[in-house]
């Protein structure tokens, strides 16, 4: 399993950042260009606790 080890501080509203992480693959690649696939494994109604598989 790969792990991300780089840390950065993002100066943006949390809703804008979550939009990139919770949106389409193209949106996610704006902040993590190495991700080539993003598929749901388990999605909850409220979103909290949902699991996604990402391929690098």
């Amino acid at each position: 399993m790969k792990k991300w080890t780089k840390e950065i501080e993002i100066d943006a509203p949390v809703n804008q950042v979550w939009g990139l992480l919770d949106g389409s693959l193209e949106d996610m690649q704006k902040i993590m260009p190495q991700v080539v696939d993003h598929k749901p494994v388990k999605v909850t109604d409220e979103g909290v606790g949902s699991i996604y598989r990402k391929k690098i």
Side-chain angles (χ1 to χ4, degrees):
M1 178 188 318
K2 294 196 177 204
K3 295 181 181 180
W4 280 279
T5 57
K6 184 176 179 179
E7 292 184 25
I8 61 169
E9 186 171 323
I10 301 172
D11 185 25
V14 69
N15 290 337
Q16 184 178 1
V17 175
W18 277 119
L20 295 173
L21 296 172
D22 196 32
S24 67
L25 175 62
E26 292 78 21
D27 287 341
M28 185 174 293
Q29 288 174 331
K30 291 177 184 176
I31 59 171
M32 294 186 288
Q34 70 275 22
V35 174
V36 296
D37 193 21
H38 173 72
K39 300 209 185 234
V41 173
K42 175 186 165 191
V43 180
T44 63
D45 290 336
E46 53 279 339
V48 176
S50 295
I51 301 170
Y52 291 85
R53 176 171 291 135
K54 294 170 182 59
K55 288 185 184 177
I56 302 173

